[in-house]
């Protein structure tokens, strides 16, 4: 039985429209006009307990709006959401005990105090007893490697440390469903890796379900087998990440280094595949996956090769292509 | 093990106390900025010496000390914080916790009172040195009812301002409404002059409004000026109930609006 079940979810916003200039300002002052924006359209999907699902889409596609509807912050205009048997918008304490929302740009920790003080509030609010509190903070702090930073004022922490502390605060009540909106935004590579590793571990240890948005494809490839792609408010893909990549990038990049003893003619090389680059003894081809074996074996049979490597095209390029076309 | 509400209250007070202590230097200025009554005292003292106002200089001194104390314990700034939360979207994460966000504000205010206490004591001591004739020993009646109405007065002021704060869901500057309200508060609360000095008609009308109960009423009780205690308490509770009902309606409708605009 799915823990997240979304049916025909939609959200329409009224947005105030103002013409530029003095006339527009006066008109806006006396008579505001609104335009309806359909931020999310007929989105349906379901997620099983313990799944980690990536939520992809360009800026303004409707990812955050959807997450806010799933957490009960905003009321859907159409459709229904069921999270572990609860309707989010009524924000029942039982529901709130089970979920968390981490927003990369928003913080809940009190800026001038050590994170531990904010954690004490969370413990009281979520009715976590003193011994449980110590045990959970110890465990999560160890997983996040921030044991020493919890007693420093939050304002003195680095961005990465702060994000980890935010994560700790958001997970202290041990939620079963995690909604993460750009959890690694602005972090350096090391901190990103640490957050990813932590999420993976949390998922395995507590069987938690995670739905996350990220602009860093490394987050998605490291954590998610399944992705949802949203474009202009509509869900355009729901399935395995590899299948999406295969569908959009059914080719591989073949890099070859020839023996320096032979003369390499560009025209001849073109007969093997789509030649991208030729620099001295090094050449790069783009080859359709179904021709890959044939191409590589004919290369090896006809030319003297020193080195050969096959790579998938950069995932960012593929996703950019998906966003560009807006369909799968 | 304390019951949950008590435990939450105690934790919020202790954490926000720590937070306020971080601002101890600023706090001195906030306390001093509330010393308006002591300035008015100087003015009225002069006036009392030159004519018959029904108040002796010592009574004036006592009254404005009472006003100073009430003001110090009833300072409320929830509208500024709440407006910021709504406008910057900081309210959203708070809505996802199983506790009404108002309690953070409320106990934050309570904690601030505790932090303020030593500074208030210092100023009161200074005041007593300057006006030794104003020193009085409050009766047990004055202590009990003065303190109780002081607490009620803080709650009423908090509730009213928090109700105005709800307007932040619709307008970008709810604090503008608060500033307008402050005009009436300044004159009708007894901050600039004891209500006894007001024209009869103004005083009668004022006593039906919530303003005198935010300063004049608890201050008078503290220093032993005669007031109609049962009527005063009834009016305070009445205004409190009205503010509470409006507050809850605006909260519910406002949240829907807030979420409708994108939270």
């Amino acid at each position: 039985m799915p823990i997240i079940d979304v049916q025909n979810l939609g959200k329409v916003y009224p947005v105030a429209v103002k013409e530029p200039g003095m006339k527009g300002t006066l008109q806006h002052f006396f008579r505001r006009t609104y335009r309806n924006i359909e931020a999310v359209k007929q989105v349906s999907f379901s997620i099983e307990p313990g799944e980690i699902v990536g939520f992809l889409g360009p800026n303004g596609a409707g990812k955050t709006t959807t997450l806010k509807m799933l957490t009960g912050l905003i009321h859907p205009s159409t459709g229904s959401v069921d999270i572990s048997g609860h309707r989010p918008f009524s924000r029942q304490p039982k529901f709130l005990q089970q979920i968390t929302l981490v927003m990369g740009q928003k913080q809940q920790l009190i800026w001038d105090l050590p994170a531990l003080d904010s954690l004490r509030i969370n413990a009281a609010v979520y009715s976590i007893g003193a011994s449980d509190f110590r045990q959970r903070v110890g465990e999560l702090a160890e997983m996040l490697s921030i044991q020493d930073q919890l007693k420093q004022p939050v304002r003195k922490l680095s961005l990465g440390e702060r994000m980890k502390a935010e994560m700790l605060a958001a997970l202290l009540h041990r939620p079963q469903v995690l909604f993460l909106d750009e959890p690694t935004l602005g972090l350096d590579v090391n901190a990103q890796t640490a957050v990813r590793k932590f999420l993976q571990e949390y998922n395995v240890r507590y069987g938690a379900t995670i739905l996350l948005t990220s602009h860093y494809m490394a987050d998605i490839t490291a954590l998610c087998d399944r992705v949802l792609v949203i474009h202009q408010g509509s869900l355009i893909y729901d399935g395995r990440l590899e299948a999406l990549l295969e569908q959009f990038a059914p080719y591989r990049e073949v890099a070859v280094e020839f023996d320096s003893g032979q003369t390499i003619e560009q025209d001849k090389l073109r007969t093997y595949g789509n030649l991208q680059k030729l620099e001295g003894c090094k050449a790069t081809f783009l080859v359709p996956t179904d021709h890959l074996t044939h191409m590589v074996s004919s290369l090896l049979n006809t030319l003297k090769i020193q080195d050969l490597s096959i790579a998938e095209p950069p995932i960012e390029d593929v996703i950019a292509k998906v966003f560009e076309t807006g369909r799968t | 093990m304390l019951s949950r509400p008590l435990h939450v209250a105690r934790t919020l007070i202790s954490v926000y106390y720590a937070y306020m202590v971080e601002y101890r230097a600023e706090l001195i200025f906030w306390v001093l900025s509330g010393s308006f009554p002591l300035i008015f005292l100087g003015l009225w003292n002069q006036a009392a010496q030159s004519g018959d106002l029904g108040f002796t200089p010592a009574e004036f001194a006592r009254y404005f000390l009472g006003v100073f104390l009430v003001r110090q314990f009833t300072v409320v700034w929830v509208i500024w914080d709440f407006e910021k939360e709504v406008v910057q979207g900081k309210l959203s994460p708070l809505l996802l916790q199983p506790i009404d966000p108002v309690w953070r504000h409320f106990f934050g205010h309570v904690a601030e009172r505790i932090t303020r206490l030593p500074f208030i004591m210092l100023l009161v001591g200074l005041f007593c040195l300057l006006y030794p004739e104003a020193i009085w020993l409050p009766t047990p009646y004055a202590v009990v009812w003065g303190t109780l109405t002081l607490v009620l007065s803080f709650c009423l002021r908090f509730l009213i301002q928090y109700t105005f704060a709800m307007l932040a869901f619709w307008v970008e500057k709810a604090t503008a409404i608060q500033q307008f309200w402050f005009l009436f508060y300044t004159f009708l609360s007894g901050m600039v002059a004891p209500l006894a000095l007001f024209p009869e008609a103004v005083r009668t009308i004022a006593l039906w409004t919530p303003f005198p109960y935010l300063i004049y009423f608890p201050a008078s009780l503290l220093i032993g000026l005669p007031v109609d205690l049962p009527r005063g308490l009834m009016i305070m509770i009445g205004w409190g109930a009205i503010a509470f009902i409006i507050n809850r309606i605006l909260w519910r409708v406002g949240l829907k609006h807030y979420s409708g605009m994108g939270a």
Side-chain angles (χ1 to χ4, degrees):
Chain A
M1 201 181 138
I3 193 161
I4 299 176
D5 190 29
V6 176
Q7 295 301 328
N8 305 317
L9 193 64
K11 180 72 197 172
V12 180
Y13 284 122
V15 176
V17 190
K18 180 188 160 297
E19 295 291 326
M22 194 61 188
K23 196 180 154 207
T25 306
L26 286 172
Q27 264 176 357
H28 188 68
F29 184 80
F30 289 107
R31 202 176 42 148
R32 274 184 195 207
T33 45
Y34 291 89
R35 189 161 56 96
N36 280 338
I37 303 271
E38 212 177 346
V40 176
K41 304 168 198 163
Q42 298 286 312
V43 167
S44 299
F45 60 87
S46 59
I47 297 175
E48 294 298 322
E51 264 192 287
I52 306 185
V53 178
F55 199 20
L56 305 178
N59 289 335
K63 299 185 300 281
T64 306
T65 307
T66 307
L67 284 191
K68 283 178 174 172
M69 283 193 278
L70 298 190
T71 48
L73 279 176
I74 59 181
H75 202 292
S77 307
T78 58
S80 67
V81 181
D82 185 300
I83 310 277
S84 186
H86 299 278
R87 280 180 54 239
F89 196 67
S90 43
R91 288 207 310 278
Q92 297 291 328
K94 260 191 173 168
F95 164 72
L96 298 176
Q97 288 272 2
Q98 287 187 41
I99 64 143
T100 200
L101 170 66
V102 177
M103 289 190 269
Q105 304 111 309
K106 301 232 167 87
Q107 58 160 33
Q108 60 156 303
L109 298 172
I110 302 173
W111 187 246
D112 293 309
L113 292 181
L116 214 48
D117 278 321
S118 297
L119 296 179
R120 280 176 54 214
I121 295 185
N122 280 18
V125 164
Y126 288 101
S127 309
I128 301 167
S131 65
D132 260 1
F133 173 64
R134 272 193 300 275
Q135 187 261 326
R136 287 186 197 187
V137 170
E139 190 178 327
L140 290 169
E142 198 194 326
M143 285 163 79
L144 286 159
S145 323
I146 46 160
Q147 293 98 322
D148 300 333
Q149 287 80 16
L150 292 180
K151 288 183 181 167
Q152 293 170 15
V154 172
R155 63 165 189 272
K156 301 265 185 205
L157 301 180
S158 70
L159 188 61
E161 289 166 344
R162 213 183 311 145
M163 194 59 223
K164 286 178 181 178
E166 286 286 344
M167 202 79 92
L168 203 165
L171 299 176
L172 190 66
H173 59 289
R174 219 168 262 174
Q176 277 306 294
V177 186
L178 279 55
F179 298 100
L180 310 172
D181 194 12
E182 302 284 351
T184 54
L185 193 71
L187 303 187
D188 65 28
V189 182
N190 287 342
Q192 281 180 31
T193 316
V195 167
R196 262 174 235 144
K197 219 179 112 211
F198 167 75
L199 289 173
Q200 239 158 1
E201 211 177 322
Y202 187 89
N203 163 262
V204 172
R205 199 176 284 196
Y206 305 112
T209 311
I210 302 176
L211 180 60
L212 91 152
T213 77
S214 180
H215 276 107
Y216 300 112
M217 286 316 296
D219 286 348
I220 306 293
T221 45
L223 293 168
C224 317
D225 288 332
R226 177 182 165 199
V227 291
L228 303 171
V229 182
I230 190 165
H231 188 267
Q232 291 176 352
S234 303
L235 193 67
I236 56 168
Y237 182 80
D238 176 359
R240 293 180 64 78
L241 178 61
E242 288 128 44
L244 177 73
L245 298 180
E246 207 49 58
Q247 191 179 328
F248 262 78
Y251 56 87
R252 295 288 179 273
E253 204 174 72
V254 179
V256 189
E257 195 179 338
F258 306 105
D259 244 11
S260 49
Q262 55 194 324
T263 22
I264 307 294
E265 282 168 23
Q266 227 183 53
D267 288 344
K268 193 184 169 195
L269 285 181
R270 288 215 167 90
T271 58
Y272 293 97
N274 182 358
L275 181 66
Q276 295 289 294
K277 217 165 51 182
L278 176 65
E279 273 172 8
C281 300
K282 290 179 181 169
T284 315
F285 299 90
L286 270 188
V287 186
T289 16
D290 44 357
H291 282 92
L292 194 63
T293 328
H294 173 73
M295 184 266 183
V296 171
S297 59
S298 68
L299 258 180
L300 290 169
N301 289 336
T302 51
L303 295 167
K304 286 181 187 155
I305 308 284
Q306 243 184 20
D307 194 17
L308 185 144
S309 63
I310 301 167
E312 288 183 357
I315 188 166
E316 275 81 3
D317 294 357
V318 185
I319 296 298
K321 210 168 145 192
V322 178
F323 292 168
E324 215 174 279
T325 54
R327 62 192 154 76
T328 53
Chain B
M1 181 80 184
L2 292 166
S3 71
R4 181 178 177 266
L6 268 179
H7 182 56
V8 171
R10 208 183 62 170
T11 312
L12 284 173
I13 290 174
S14 83
V15 171
Y16 279 104
Y17 176 74
Y19 175 72
M20 292 299 170
V21 168
E22 290 288 311
Y23 287 104
R24 57 199 173 276
E26 290 86 340
L27 202 66
I28 299 173
F29 293 104
W30 287 332
V31 171
L32 287 175
S33 72
S35 54
F36 252 136
L38 304 183
I39 297 164
F40 288 121
L41 162 63
L43 296 174
W44 282 109
N45 221 348
Q46 285 293 316
Q49 277 161 12
S50 55
D52 181 23
L53 292 170
F55 271 68
T56 65
E59 280 169 337
F60 266 124
R62 214 170 286 157
Y63 177 75
F64 282 108
L65 179 65
V67 171
F68 169 74
L69 279 173
V70 174
R71 290 254 304 144
Q72 289 297 327
F73 284 107
T74 58
V75 178
V76 174
W77 60 87
V78 64
I79 193 164
W80 282 270
D81 287 355
F82 187 80
E83 182 185 274
K84 209 158 62 183
E85 281 177 7
V86 172
V87 173
Q88 298 177 358
K90 287 182 174 169
L91 183 64
S92 303
L94 298 177
L95 290 173
L96 291 183
Q97 297 205 336
I99 182 177
D100 193 311
V102 69
W103 296 116
R104 283 178 182 262
H105 295 296
F106 183 79
F107 289 115
H109 279 68
V110 173
E112 195 261 6
R113 294 306 100 108
I114 305 168
T115 332
R116 208 176 252 259
L117 205 57
F119 302 113
I120 299 174
M121 290 309 182
L122 205 73
L123 276 177
V124 170
L126 196 69
F127 176 89
C128 291
L129 275 180
L130 288 172
Y131 300 96
E133 70 275 16
I135 299 171
W136 84 104
L137 193 70
T139 60
Y141 174 88
V143 171
V144 171
W145 289 108
T147 313
L148 186 82
T149 48
L150 182 65
V151 173
L152 268 180
S153 177
F154 162 64
C155 293
L156 181 61
R157 193 165 173 209
F158 183 90
L159 202 52
I160 292 173
Q161 200 183 94
Y162 191 54
T163 304
F164 283 132
M166 293 296 116
L167 298 174
F169 284 127
W170 293 275
V171 297
E172 265 136 61
K173 281 273 168 224
T175 42
I177 297 152
Q178 170 61 26
Q179 305 287 23
F180 182 62
W181 159 272
F182 192 74
L183 186 74
F184 295 94
Y185 169 81
T186 308
F187 291 102
L188 298 176
S189 65
M191 181 161 77
V192 293
L195 246 66
L197 299 184
F198 280 35
E200 178 72 36
V202 177
R203 189 169 65 236
T204 313
I205 296 169
L207 283 169
W208 283 107
T209 69
F211 302 104
Y213 306 94
L214 301 177
I215 292 183
Y216 170 77
F217 187 64
S220 298
L221 276 162
L222 279 174
I223 62 162
L225 278 183
V227 286
D228 188 342
L229 182 64
R231 181 191 133 118
L233 287 175
M234 291 297 286
I235 293 180
M236 279 180 111
I237 293 168
W239 277 112
I242 292 171
F244 180 78
I245 293 166
I246 297 175
N247 181 290
R248 289 295 89 184
I249 294 171
L250 289 180
W251 170 253
R252 209 159 300 152
V253 184
L255 263 191
K256 218 162 192 183
H257 183 75
Y258 174 70
S259 76
M261 299 305 279

